């Protein structure tokens, strides 16, 4: 069976040039360009470009594998460099390829009244903030009240997203072989009146967290790079999703090596 592929670009001249080159080579190697139903999506740009590709093909995660080429600085998901392009093209042409699966975050936003709920998936994280003072939420874990949060907001991240916004908030880095989500606080108010745990929380699969707003606020709910405005929110439910994201692997690039190269040094 001929592999169907799609290419996405950040849109700058370097990324577009690489896209054109890949398209020519992959067509020569008999692969089929198919933007609608690709087996393989190659994103060229950075992590932001891969996040966009993920959300574009979110309806066929079980059938599509992703790969990222970075044209800026080393990306976390975009981990192929332009100088490795020929190697990558040969590897892609030589399919079948190996796939690694990473856990995703499922968010369900329920409105007050009887409106429809919204269900989303995130590859990195969901953050809940407001432009109207503090975020005030009851936090329930597995159906039990855990704390009342007051502060700038909360970030709920996946293991592969733990090196992104979560890390900047003091969260732990979690290996993506662990099916978990992590909740990190943004500037919680802690004094004699208000109290939160203050530490990042790591929840395993099947432990659902429910965030229930205590005040009528409009919330900015961000999923990866996409922000939506919500008012009249009854609850925001967070848990490990049933779905997973699939990355095509053509060479070993262990997670901890990626963490080392991104945050310590990428000198060999
Ligand atoms: P962007 O593409 O400018 O991304 C911001 C930075 O986050 C880039 O350097 C990117 O390489 C890095 N990044 C993205 N995913 C990563 C991951 N899983 N591990 C390590 N680094 C990662 O901006 P965008 O397109 O709006 O991307 C949205 C992402 O930006 C969000 O998912 C969030 O994680 C991240 N972000 C980070 C901060 C922060 O670190 N303070 C604040 C807001 C958003």
């Amino acid at each position: 069976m001929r592999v169907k592929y799609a290419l996405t670009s950040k849109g700058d001249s370097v990324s577009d040039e690489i896209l054109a080159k890949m398209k020519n080579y992959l067509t020569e190697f008999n692969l089929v360009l198919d933007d609608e139903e690709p087996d393989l999506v190659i994103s060229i740009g950075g992590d932001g470009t891969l996040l966009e590709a993920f959300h574009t093909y979110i309806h066929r995660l079980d059938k599509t594998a992703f790969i990222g080429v970075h044209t800026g600085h080393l990306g976390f998901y975009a981990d192929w460099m332009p100088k490795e392009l020929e190697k990558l093209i040969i590897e892609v042409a030589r399919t079948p390829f190996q796939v690694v699966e990473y856990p995703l975050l499922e968010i369900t936003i329920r409105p007050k009244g009887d409106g429809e709920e919204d269900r989303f998936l995130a590859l990195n994280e969901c953050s809940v903030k407001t432009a109207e003072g503090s975020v005030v939420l009851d936090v329930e874990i597995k159906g039990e009240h855990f704390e009342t949060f007051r502060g700038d907001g909360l970030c709920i991240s996946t293991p592969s997203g733990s090196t992104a916004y979560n890390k900047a908030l003091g969260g732990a880095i979690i290996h993506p072989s662990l099916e978990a989500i992590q909740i990190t606080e943004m500037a919680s108010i802690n004094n004699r009146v208000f109290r939160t745990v203050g530490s990042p929380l790591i929840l395993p699969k099947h432990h659902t967290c429910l965030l229930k707003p205590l005040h009528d606020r409009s919330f900015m709910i961000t999923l990866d790079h996409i922000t939506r405005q919500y008012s009249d929110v009854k609850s925001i439910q967070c848990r490990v999703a049933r779905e997973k994201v699939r990355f095509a692997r053509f060479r070993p690039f262990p997670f901890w090596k990626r963490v080392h190269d991104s945050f310590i040094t990428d000198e060999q």
Side-chain angles (χ1 to χ4, degrees), residues 47-49 51 73-77 124-125 160-166 168 224-225 263:
D47 289 327
T49 322
L51 289 174
H73 2 250
L74 176 64
F76 222 77
Y77 298 114
N124 267 351
E125 77 283 290
S160 61
S162 66
T163 45
Y165 199 1
N166 166 77
D224 297 333
H225 57 298
F263 298 108

Side-chain angles (χ1 to χ4, degrees), residues 32-100:
V32 183
L33 185 64
D34 185 339
D35 287 336
E36 296 299 317
E37 296 185 335
D39 305 309
L40 188 64
V41 171
I42 305 169
S43 113
I44 304 156
D47 289 327
T49 322
L50 197 129
L51 289 174
E52 273 181 35
F54 167 80
H55 285 275
T56 304
Y57 292 100
I58 205 158
H59 55 287
R60 44 178 294 116
L61 291 179
D62 54 335
K63 300 183 197 79
T64 297
F66 295 87
I67 182 134
V69 176
H70 67 88
T71 50
H73 2 250
L74 176 64
F76 222 77
Y77 298 114
D79 54 12
W80 282 81
M81 288 187 285
K83 66 177 186 202
E84 302 174 293
L85 211 59
E86 283 174 18
K87 185 171 185 277
L88 175 61
I89 290 164
I90 292 166
E91 292 295 340
V92 170
R94 221 195 257 159
T95 48
F97 45 82
Q98 275 197 339
V99 162
V100 292

Side-chain angles (χ1 to χ4, degrees), residues 14-245:
V14 177
S15 306
D16 285 348
E17 208 173 290
I18 291 177
L19 184 147
K21 216 186 243 182
M22 289 203 85
K23 198 165 155 181
N24 282 341
Y25 280 123
L26 292 175
T27 311
E28 270 177 34
F29 279 116
N30 233 0
L31 275 75
V32 183
L33 185 64
D34 185 339
D35 287 336
E36 296 299 317
E37 296 185 335
D39 305 309
L40 188 64
V41 171
I42 305 169
S43 113
I44 304 156
D47 289 327
T49 322
L50 197 129
L51 289 174
E52 273 181 35
F54 167 80
H55 285 275
T56 304
Y57 292 100
I58 205 158
H59 55 287
R60 44 178 294 116
L61 291 179
D62 54 335
K63 300 183 197 79
T64 297
F66 295 87
I67 182 134
V69 176
H70 67 88
T71 50
H73 2 250
L74 176 64
F76 222 77
Y77 298 114
D79 54 12
W80 282 81
M81 288 187 285
K83 66 177 186 202
E84 302 174 293
L85 211 59
E86 283 174 18
K87 185 171 185 277
L88 175 61
I89 290 164
I90 292 166
E91 292 295 340
V92 170
R94 221 195 257 159
T95 48
F97 45 82
Q98 275 197 339
V99 162
V100 292
E101 293 188 329
Y102 285 178
L104 295 171
L105 166 69
E106 180 200 77
I107 293 288
T108 309
I109 302 168
R110 301 198 173 97
K112 287 181 186 156
D114 34 73
E116 293 266 304
E117 63 182 34
D118 281 340
R119 178 180 180 269
F120 299 108
L121 296 177
L123 175 55
N124 267 351
E125 77 283 290
C126 168
S127 64
V128 182
K129 299 184 202 175
T130 182
E132 300 167 15
S134 298
V135 168
V136 187
L137 301 161
D138 266 343
V139 179
E140 273 181 26
I141 298 176
K142 275 190 90 188
E144 300 278 340
H145 181 262
F146 181 75
E147 65 183 13
T148 301
F149 175 88
R150 285 175 181 80
D152 282 358
L154 288 173
C155 170
I156 306 98
S157 60
T158 64
S160 61
S162 66
T163 45
Y165 199 1
N166 166 77
K167 184 175 180 298
L169 295 168
I173 297 181
I174 302 184
H175 194 279
S177 61
L178 299 173
E179 293 189 81
I181 56 170
Q182 180 167 192
I183 305 169
T184 39
E185 299 181 351
M186 295 172 206
S188 55
I189 300 173
N190 265 300
N191 51 37
R192 274 179 305 177
V193 186
F194 305 131
R195 185 127 308 273
T196 64
V197 70
S199 305
L201 299 175
I202 297 171
L203 304 189
K205 204 175 168 185
H206 308 308
H207 284 203
T208 300
C209 169
L210 203 60
L211 309 175
K212 292 179 165 170
L214 291 184
H215 298 160
D216 270 335
R217 296 266 151 85
S218 167
F219 292 98
M220 294 177 295
I221 302 182
T222 304
L223 287 125
D224 297 333
H225 57 298
I226 306 161
T227 302
R228 293 181 177 83
Q229 202 77 31
Y230 276 91
S231 35
D232 297 323
V233 177
K234 182 177 163 207
S235 67
I236 303 164
Q237 178 186 285
C238 322
R239 64 182 176 192
V240 177
R242 283 187 309 275
E243 297 90 336
K244 291 198 166 186
V245 63

